Amino acid sequence: MHYHGIKFTWRALERHVRAECEQREAMGGGGFYGSFEHLAVYVENTPHAVIGARFPRRKFATPRD
């Protein structure tokens, strides 16, 4: 997923994810979105240049007709 896509998605879903986590914790379980939350926090707190240097975009071979 693209860096900005993660930020945009997290900003749209954050309140719903946090509410889901609170409900599940009240029932004795964890939430489904914990790993996405960690990824979103990492992206929010890390400059794009750092992420680009650590995780360069990969190119995949495309099938040729």
Side-chain angles (χ1 to χ4, degrees):
M1 185 180 278
H2 192 266
Y3 175 85
H4 297 290
I6 294 169
K7 286 181 146 186
F8 181 77
T9 301
W10 176 247
R11 290 174 185 159
L13 294 177
E14 180 178 13
R15 67 185 175 122
H16 303 290
V17 170
R18 293 198 189 281
E20 187 257 354
C21 288
E22 288 176 13
Q23 288 177 350
R24 291 200 171 274
E25 285 177 8
M27 296 185 303
F32 290 115
Y33 296 102
S35 55
F36 181 74
E37 182 178 357
H38 289 291
L39 176 63
V41 168
Y42 176 78
V43 167
E44 284 286 347
N45 294 310
T46 308
H48 185 266
V50 172
I51 292 175
R54 284 191 72 195
F55 305 104
R57 294 185 81 167
R58 295 179 289 170
K59 293 184 180 184
F60 296 95
T62 56
R64 298 182 185 229
D65 296 330

